[in-house]
Amino acid sequence: MKPMKPIVTLLLSLSVMAFSHAEERVDRVEPWTLNDQFDQPYRFDASERVLLIAASNGAAKLVDDAIKNKPQGWLAERQVTYVADITHVPRLVANRVLVPSMRSASYRILLDREGEVASRYVEDRKPVLWLTLDNGRIAERQRFDSSDALRLSLESLELDASRAHPQTATD
C-alpha cells in the first residue's frame, strides 16, 4: 500500500491547486485601453458602471439583439462598456469582414484582439458576461444567454447624468 501514498498525495495537491485556481477571481477592473470598431482608442476607467463582455460569436449576437434598435449613445448614457473578444477570429477575417460589419452598429464595440481584457474575467465563452462595477471593484457578475433578459437588465439601469462619461461623443 505504500505506492498509493504518493499517488494520493499528488491527487490531493492537484485538487487543492485546481480549487485555489478556480477561486482566484479578479475582483477589480484596472484601467486599460482598447480600440473600437472605428480604430479609435477608448480608455476604460473606474467611472463605468457595467462592463459587458462577449467572448464568442453567439454572445456577440445576443448583445446585438438586445441593443440593435437603441439610439446611438444609449449604452454610454448608462455607463456601459461593451467589449467583444475577437481573439478566436483569424486576423484576416477580422480585418476584412468582421470589423467592417461592426461599423454599422449604433453603439461602440471595443475590440479585444489580443485577449488582454476578456481573458481576465471570462470563464465561459458562451454567455455574455456582465460585470457590475463600483469604482472599479467588481460588485456583481452575471451571465446572460438570452437577449431579452439582457435587454431588460440594460433597460433597468437608471441614467445618471452626474456621472456622464466624457467619451460619449463617438458612442
Side-chain angles (χ1 to χ4, degrees), residues 7-91:
I7 292 172
V8 169
T9 304
L10 175 65
L11 290 174
L12 283 173
S13 64
L14 288 175
S15 66
V16 168
M17 285 173 41
F19 179 74
S20 66
H21 185 268
E23 292 299 308
E24 284 182 37
R25 284 193 147 180
V26 177
D27 63 349
R28 291 198 62 78
V29 176
E30 299 301 326
W32 42 259
T33 301
L34 289 176
N35 286 347
D36 66 13
Q37 73 266 40
F38 299 104
D39 221 18
Q40 298 299 309
Y42 180 88
R43 175 127 172 101
F44 181 87
D45 61 39
S47 69
E48 300 296 337
R49 291 186 346 188
V50 174
L51 177 60
L52 283 183
I53 302 174
S56 69
N57 187 41
K61 286 181 180 179
L62 285 176
V63 174
D64 186 58
D65 285 346
I67 61 178
K68 66 182 172 190
N69 295 323
K70 302 299 182 191
Q72 188 168 357
W74 191 81
L75 284 179
E77 290 173 343
R78 288 158 178 74
Q79 285 116 357
V80 175
T81 300
Y82 171 40
V83 173
D85 177 358
I86 61 171
T87 57
H88 59 285
V89 179
R91 190 169 298 275

Side-chain angles (χ1 to χ4, degrees), residues 22 24-32 34 44-45 51-55 83 85 112 115-125 127-133 136-143:
E24 284 182 37
R25 284 193 147 180
V26 177
D27 63 349
R28 291 198 62 78
V29 176
E30 299 301 326
W32 42 259
L34 289 176
F44 181 87
D45 61 39
L51 177 60
L52 283 183
I53 302 174
V83 173
D85 177 358
D112 190 355
E116 52 197 284
V117 173
S119 63
R120 297 177 194 169
Y121 314 104
V122 173
E123 297 162 359
D124 182 357
R125 295 180 63 84
V128 175
L129 177 62
W130 170 305
L131 300 176
T132 302
L133 306 174
R137 186 183 63 77
I138 298 173
E140 182 180 14
R141 293 171 183 261
Q142 298 179 63
R143 287 166 185 76

Side-chain angles (χ1 to χ4, degrees), residues 47 49 73-79 157-168:
S47 69
R49 291 186 346 188
W74 191 81
L75 284 179
E77 290 173 343
R78 288 158 178 74
Q79 285 116 357
L157 289 174
E158 293 182 22
L159 299 182
D160 187 352
S162 68
R163 291 183 54 182
H165 200 283
Q167 295 185 8
T168 59

